[in-house]
Amino acid sequence: MSEPTLVVSKIRAGTVIDHIPAGRALDVLKIIGLSGREGTRTAIIMNVESKKLGKKDIVKIEGKFLGQHEVSIIALIAPTATINIVEDFKVVRKFKVEIPEVIEEIIICPNTTCITNKSNEPIKSRFRVLSRKPITMQCSYCSTLISEDDLYGLIKV
Ligand code: CTP
Ligand code: ZN
């Protein structure tokens, strides 16, 4: 017998962020700056079955269209995510998120003596992506390397 399916309404216009790794939907919303208090109609679907990922999360945001910066920072938390742009109930564009070459501010350097961690220095963190699969990033100030396993714990959300 097949599993019962979870039915969640389609949206009229806005963005569906699909194929988010299970359990990360709330972090995705946080990183794009949505708290829920904006009043935007949003559906958060967590830990549902996915053919590709086993389990996944989905976020549907009515009336919201993401900018380039928002799309690239989603990639840090949800590298498997697909962005679907919906208009008039139909998906009019679909693309995968992609990690940018340079990431500013979002990641905390794990080196406590790095200049970007000094509270009296107004310097934003800056990492260069050396490889994407697996992810390796390097701090532009102190050259500290971050691996894919470390990354999630170093993202400011
Ligand atoms: N979706 C929605 N409202 C719409 C159209 C689509 O909420 N008006 C959602 C669907 O529920 C799905 C996602 O947007 O979660 C992508 O829709 P679609 O491309 O139709 O689904 P799939 O073909 O299953 O997508 P994929 O191949 O990317 O897994
Ligand atoms: Zn550093």
Side-chain angles (χ1 to χ4, degrees), residues 11-17 29 32-44 59-66 70:
I11 62 171
R12 179 187 299 277
T15 302
V16 176
I17 310 168
L29 284 170
I32 59 174
L34 283 180
S35 67
R37 290 185 292 275
E38 298 79 12
T40 316
R41 203 165 172 209
T42 305
I44 301 163
V59 172
K60 302 187 182 198
I61 317 165
E62 195 99 46
K64 169 104 179 161
F65 299 93
L66 304 170
E70 289 167 316

Side-chain angles (χ1 to χ4, degrees), residues 109 114 139 142:
C109 183
C114 179
C139 175
C142 71

Side-chain angles (χ1 to χ4, degrees), residues 8-12 16 18-19 52 56 58 60 82 84 86 88-91 94:
V8 179
S9 309
K10 292 202 173 265
I11 62 171
R12 179 187 299 277
V16 176
D18 199 355
H19 305 114
K52 289 179 217 162
K56 68 171 180 180
I58 310 168
K60 302 187 182 198
T82 317
N84 298 272
V86 176
D88 204 12
F89 288 104
K90 285 192 244 352
V91 175
K94 183 191 289 275

Side-chain angles (χ1 to χ4, degrees), residues 105-153:
E105 262 182 301
I106 315 285
I107 300 167
I108 300 162
C109 183
N111 170 12
T112 51
T113 66
C114 179
I115 192 159
T116 61
N117 286 322
K118 302 233 164 93
S119 55
N120 53 346
E121 297 279 353
I123 294 181
K124 297 175 190 166
S125 73
R126 185 179 191 276
F127 283 84
R128 230 161 49 79
V129 176
L130 303 184
S131 99
R132 288 195 168 80
K133 262 188 185 167
I135 298 168
T136 312
M137 294 182 186
Q138 185 167 41
C139 175
S140 301
Y141 295 94
C142 71
S143 302
T144 296
L145 294 171
I146 296 181
S147 69
E148 185 150 342
D149 293 341
D150 305 330
L151 177 63
Y152 187 62

